[in-house]
Structure formats: structure tokens, C-alpha cells
Amino acid sequence: MQFIDLVTQKNRIRENLMKRIERIIDSAQFVMGPEVLEVEKQLAEYVGTKHCVSCASGTDALLIPLMAKGIGPGDAVLTTPFTFVATAEVISLAGATPVFVDVLPGTFNIDPDKVGAAVEEARQKGLNPKALIPVDLFGLPANYDRLETVADEHGLWILEDAAQGFGGTVGGRKAGSFGFVGATSFFPAKPLGCYGDGGAIFTNDDELLELLISVRVHGGGDDRYNNVRIGLNGRFDTIQAAVILEKLTIFDDELALRQKAADAYSARLKGRVEVPEVPEGYTSCWAQYSVLANSTDDRARLMAALKDAGIPSAIYYPIPLHLQKAYENLGYKPGDFPITEDFSARVFALPMHPYLKAEEIEQICEVILGA
């Protein structure tokens, strides 16, 4: 049994994808070819924003907006400690300081009610709080109705980290469209993934668009040798754009299949483990199906039983960011973010992809229920 099945998906799109790739090879337009502009247009239309700027990775998709907005030393950017390191890493790479905010029970996402205290913490540290990066963890968008209100109250702009959330919705509005700017990842394991690294940035702001394009390619101005700011090499490969174009043709169907799998899991496992909570009016793209065991020992027992049955599982994320060695200079300690720490001690993820068979889900659930 596979944790993520990319082979079955590949077989669905192989014929048309190979035609696209062959055209690219014949044209020799491997960098910023016409497929890149095509995929940016389709992605912007899908998300519902005026603009999309593709880039080389999900990490670049987060870093480029920070650079474009001039985030740097002396600035604080707020985010959650319960996420992949890239979310906080880009803050540090920009020269700013991460300030963490605990998450909500149930949804795994940042708690809007704790943002104000984090703003005050930043100021007490002599920092200037500038931005907020909520994370759409495991596929579920954060509570942007409340977050946008809180951010406005404290003079923050929002960079939505939709690296795991692309395809999720709130009130019909798609992940990537929230806040001032949104970012996503096309890492192969994502619900919409390419065959390597890739990412995209979304915004409705025309001025920001020009800055994003400049930073993406070495801070260029009117031409490639007129460098008006510090940038990076963050271009999206043409062949990867072709992969995303073909995967978009089946993406909504795959989202429906992911939802079907998640519903089946939740119906069988509720009561044995804490299943993911999806608030009314929200949908998840189910980048992962993560549950909470009763304890760390219970998690170990369940994962061992799954392994014995030949079923893969994974832990996202075993060490919260505020307790990582890379961030020990921030001075956080165990107990500072109790919900995050509790989740890290109990969370684990089950196989999740559109091609999970009903009998496979039943087998997984039987192992967990019998452990």
C-alpha cells in the first residue's frame, strides 16, 4: 500500500502530458516558455485572483513576497510553530524574526485570538510587527474572516501559506486568494504537484505583481542586466508548468475523490482517534489525513500496528518549530505553545490520495480499531 499514489495519477494524464513535454523539447524553450504564462493564467482563474506568478518552489513562493515588501532586520513576522520549517525559514532568510502563535484545537490552524498577544510580544522584543503568515495546514484553510480583522487591527498584512491548502475553500472562495498575497507549493506530494519543485504566488495588487516578477529573476528592471533590487533565481521550469497544466484537468475530480476517502476514514475512526475537524462552510483539499492518538504511547502502538500490516504512516510534525535547534536563539521553551506541543506528541497521518480503494481504507481502519 502506498502513502501517496502518483503512478495511477500519472497513468491518467500520461498521453497528453508526453505530447506537451515533446513540444517543449522540440521548441527548446525550457525556461519561461509559453507554458509558464499559460499555467499562470489558468491558476489565477482557478484561485480567483487577478494575478499569479509562478516560481521555483513553495519556499520561494513564501520568500519572494517578503522580499518584495522589504521585510528585513528589525521586523517581526507572526506565524504558527505547528508547520513545516519553510514557513518560518523564509522569515529568517529575509532577515526578519519569527514570532510564533499557538494553534486552535480541532483544525490545527493558527488561533486568531492569540495574534494580539504575539504582536505585543514582538514589540516588547524591540521588533516592528509587519506581517502574519497563517498556514492552511493539512489542506484546511485557516479562519481568514477573523484573521483578516485581527491583522487590520494591528496593522499587519497577510501572506497566506497555502502550500498544503491549494484546492481548499472557505465559503466557496479558494485557498491562495486570502490576505494581501497567497503562496502555494507544487512539490510532487501536494494535491496539485509537479514532477519536481515548483510554486506559485497569488495577488490582486498590481504594484506587488511588478515587484514579485522583479524579485523572481534577480531583481531585474527593464531588462535582465538592469538590476534594481536584490532578487533570486526563482523561475518555474517550462516542463513543470506542463505537468501542472495537465494535472489541472483532473484536479477537481481528484479533490472529490480525496473528500470521499476522508469521509470514509472519519466515519470509521471517530471515537478511536480524534479525526480532523472541518468547520461549516469550509472544504479541505486533504493534503494529509492527520489524526490525533490518545497519547504518545497510543500513537506509537497504532503506528507499529500499521507498519506490521504493511501500511505506511507518518508524523507531521514531531518537533514544533519553537523547539527546533535552528530557533533556539528565539528563547522559546517547552510549555510556551501547549496546544502545538500536545498535537506534536499525538499527531500522525494515514495514507491519503485520490486513488485509495474502499477496501484499503477499511483495512487501515480495521488495524487502528483493533490495535
Side-chain angles (χ1 to χ4, degrees):
M1 189 182 300
Q2 298 181 70
F3 195 71
I4 298 171
D5 182 1
L6 295 177
V7 175
T8 301
Q9 180 195 61
K10 175 263 297 180
N11 291 337
R12 285 186 69 178
I13 64 172
R14 180 183 177 88
E15 183 177 353
N16 289 336
L17 176 59
M18 294 308 291
K19 289 177 182 177
R20 281 189 178 273
I21 291 174
E22 188 172 357
R23 285 197 298 270
I24 293 167
I25 292 171
D26 287 342
S27 73
Q29 292 182 282
F30 304 119
V31 177
M32 298 301 290
E35 287 79 5
V36 173
L37 292 177
E38 182 183 356
V39 81
E40 288 177 342
K41 182 175 184 294
Q42 288 197 24
L43 289 167
E45 289 174 354
Y46 187 87
V47 169
T49 55
K50 285 178 66 177
H51 309 297
C52 169
V53 176
S54 62
C55 57
S57 69
T59 304
D60 280 356
L62 290 167
L63 177 59
I64 289 171
L66 296 178
M67 295 175 67
K69 288 288 289 179
I71 295 295
D75 294 333
V77 179
L78 283 58
T79 193
T80 162
F82 193 53
T83 183
F84 183 60
V85 69
T87 311
E89 185 177 50
V90 295
I91 300 169
S92 302
L93 288 171
T97 302
V99 174
F100 294 121
V101 183
D102 211 351
V103 296
L104 287 161
T107 69
F108 301 108
N109 286 333
I110 197 166
D111 187 343
D113 289 341
K114 294 178 180 175
V115 170
V119 169
E120 183 58 31
E121 175 193 334
R123 289 180 176 144
Q124 288 177 356
K125 291 179 176 179
L127 300 169
N128 185 9
K130 288 282 190 68
L132 171 66
I133 308 181
V135 178
D136 302 338
L137 202 70
F138 302 148
L140 181 71
N143 188 335
Y144 289 100
D145 284 343
R146 290 172 62 195
L147 286 168
E148 287 175 347
T149 299
V150 170
D152 286 343
E153 289 174 357
H154 295 285
L156 306 173
W157 56 272
I158 289 179
L159 166 55
E160 177 191 0
D161 182 348
Q164 295 180 21
F166 192 87
T169 65
V170 182
R173 185 175 166 187
K174 288 196 168 66
S177 69
F178 297 99
F180 179 59
V181 58
T184 197
S185 168
F186 299 133
F187 183 75
K190 305 297 184 186
L192 183 65
C194 57
Y195 291 164
D197 278 312
I201 308 161
F202 302 91
T203 188
N204 292 314
D205 190 276
D206 296 338
E207 182 180 347
L208 180 64
L209 171 67
E210 298 305 314
L211 294 171
L212 296 173
I213 291 171
S214 173
V215 172
R216 175 178 63 178
V217 187
H218 302 293
D222 296 336
D223 65 64
R224 63 186 294 187
Y225 297 117
N226 178 24
N227 308 105
V228 296
R229 59 183 54 83
I230 299 299
L232 44 79
N233 180 9
R235 297 169 298 199
F236 193 36
D237 287 344
T238 308
I239 288 176
Q240 301 301 348
V243 176
I244 295 299
L245 283 166
E246 283 306 316
K247 287 195 177 186
L248 274 170
T249 66
I250 61 171
F251 186 52
D252 283 342
D253 179 57
E254 289 192 333
L255 288 176
L257 292 171
R258 285 176 176 272
Q259 184 62 55
K260 184 178 179 180
D263 288 342
Y265 271 138
S266 294
R268 290 286 278 126
L269 295 177
K270 190 174 183 178
R272 175 59 184 89
V273 293
E274 291 183 44
V275 300
E277 177 183 310
V278 179
E280 185 176 353
Y282 288 64
T283 66
S284 175
C285 68
W286 299 107
Q288 286 88 30
Y289 186 86
S290 289
V291 299
L292 293 170
N294 295 324
S295 65
T296 304
D297 288 344
D298 185 43
R299 178 175 69 183
R301 182 163 51 250
L302 293 174
M303 293 182 72
L306 289 167
K307 184 178 180 180
D308 288 344
I311 299 167
S313 60
I315 299 175
Y316 305 100
Y317 297 94
I319 305 174
L321 296 188
H322 68 287
L323 300 180
Q324 294 279 358
K325 181 176 177 59
Y327 283 112
E328 63 185 5
N329 64 304
L330 297 180
Y332 292 112
K333 60 186 184 304
D336 283 345
F337 303 102
I339 298 175
T340 288
E341 291 170 33
D342 174 55
F343 285 174
S344 291
R346 297 191 291 131
V347 72
F348 70 105
L350 302 174
M352 169 53 74
H353 57 81
Y355 307 105
L356 269 174
K357 297 179 177 65
E359 55 267 30
E360 290 176 322
I361 295 173
E362 182 61 26
Q363 179 191 0
I364 294 165
C365 293
E366 284 295 328
V367 171
I368 291 173
L369 293 169

